[in-house]
């Protein structure tokens, strides 16, 4: 029924079982890859939790890293990702001109 589906959605949305995409500003320090936080004090950190049948489009600034947090054994299922990255060409009229 709907109850197991709601529990699964709540587990994914809480972030406790992992499986979420995270965009963080690049940091060249050795410890940066191991430490990440997504709270009110985080600047430039975006986390997108796993959602069934979803499409996420993100315009990433330069020097932004993307990773998927590991999926815990306690997760209510698995996840499959298809990921594509594009380089955007500068606008023909130069940067800053809106269309």
């Amino acid at each position: 029924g709907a109850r197991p589906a709601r529990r699964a959605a709540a587990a994914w949305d809480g972030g406790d079982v992992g499986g979420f995409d995270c965009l963080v500003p690049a940091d060249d320090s050795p410890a940066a890859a191991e430490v990440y936080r997504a709270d009110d004090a985080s600047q430039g950190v975006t986390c997108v939790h796993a959602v069934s049948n979803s499409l996420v489009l993100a315009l990433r600034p330069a020097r932004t890293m993307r990773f998927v947090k590991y999926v815990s054994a306690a997760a209510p299922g698995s996840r499959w990702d298809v990921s594509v990255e594009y380089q955007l060409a500068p606008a023909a009229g130069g940067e800053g001109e809106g269309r």
Side-chain angles (χ1 to χ4, degrees):
R3 179 172 265 159
R6 285 188 195 136
R7 273 194 297 245
W12 286 118
D13 193 42
D16 294 333
V17 296
F20 57 85
D21 280 285
C22 201
L23 303 172
V24 296
D27 188 343
D28 296 328
S29 68
E34 298 176 12
V35 178
Y36 53 90
R37 303 249 186 266
D39 56 23
D40 293 337
S42 302
Q43 290 188 353
V45 175
T46 302
C47 291
V48 180
H49 294 279
V51 177
S52 181
N53 295 322
S54 64
L55 171 67
V56 176
L57 299 174
L59 180 59
R60 273 187 349 194
R63 303 224 0 102
T64 302
M65 300 183 301
R66 176 191 172 267
F67 69 93
V68 177
K69 184 174 179 188
Y70 65 88
V71 177
S72 167
S78 60
R79 66 174 274 163
W80 287 75
D81 295 335
V82 175
S83 179
V84 178
E85 293 185 23
Y86 294 96
Q87 293 286 96
L88 297 177
E95 192 171 325
E97 289 186 19
R99 290 186 181 220

